[in-house]
Amino acid sequence: KTYNSLKVLLILLLGVHYSSVAQTTTFSYTGGAQTYTVPAGVSAVTVLVQGAEGGLNSDEPDFSDVAGKGGCVRAIIAVTPGQVLQVNVGGRGRNGTATAGGAGGFNGGGNGSYGVSTYSGGGGGGASDVRSFPYAPGDRLVVAGGGGGAGLQCGGDLDRGGNGGANIGGTTGEDGVGCGATTGGGGGVS
């Protein structure tokens, strides 16, 4: 199945506050860390951060399954001119295959598991975040959790991955659901 690139690429927007001219910078998924240097005269930026979607399970061509959606959060971050922020746009979880669970997406997505027969779960989506120096996970200023990968289809809505967390230092993602030997992945924690 081919995915529209807008569903695979995740966007993070940085809008400048307290400036006579507003500026918008968009970051898309690259599979690695990116940077943003705060312009002169700027003391705060508004960010809109979207976590990545989880992957589908291995029975996707035959059944309708639902991967968890990434969390979304908007925040205003205090900054200083010249400060370099690290931007990590999470990667979408890979789909499960007949022989293995899907790989987790960039920036923390969990791997899907191999279930029964030829059924495997999708990988979890990666979180998207903005970090300050020295850019370790503990230096996150804002984060949106990735969605969980879909589990084994048993009919109805029983294989969906959990949705990602969406608040700064708050809400965790919701659990996935499933039946039999596999379940949908849990949503990421923000």
Side-chain angles (χ1 to χ4, degrees), residues 8-187:
V8 176
L9 297 178
L10 301 169
I11 298 173
L12 181 126
L13 302 173
L14 295 169
V16 180
H17 273 276
Y18 311 116
S19 175
S20 60
V21 177
Q23 171 188 351
T24 300
T25 303
T26 302
F27 292 88
S28 298
Y29 172 76
T30 64
Q34 302 170 67
T35 59
Y36 175 80
T37 302
V38 178
V42 175
S43 61
V45 293
T46 298
V47 294
L48 175 63
V49 184
Q50 171 93 40
E53 178 178 40
L56 299 174
N57 65 38
S58 60
D59 69 359
E60 190 276 325
D62 300 321
F63 298 99
S64 171
D65 50 52
V66 180
K69 306 299 181 202
C72 185
V73 65
R74 182 176 183 207
I76 297 173
I77 300 172
V79 294
T80 57
Q83 181 179 5
V84 178
L85 301 175
Q86 183 182 77
V87 178
N88 295 291
V89 180
R92 184 184 177 282
R94 299 287 184 195
N95 295 343
T97 69
T99 58
F106 168 72
N107 206 26
N111 294 329
S113 65
Y114 175 73
V116 295
S117 184
T118 59
Y119 299 109
S120 300
S128 292
D129 63 54
V130 177
R131 302 178 191 191
S132 61
F133 184 79
Y135 313 123
D139 300 310
R140 290 175 167 163
L141 301 172
V142 62
V143 61
L152 176 63
Q153 169 60 270
C154 296
D157 191 29
L158 295 177
D159 61 342
R160 65 180 177 79
N163 292 324
N167 291 332
I168 300 172
T171 306
T172 61
E174 65 179 4
D175 290 337
V177 295
C179 66
T182 64
T183 60

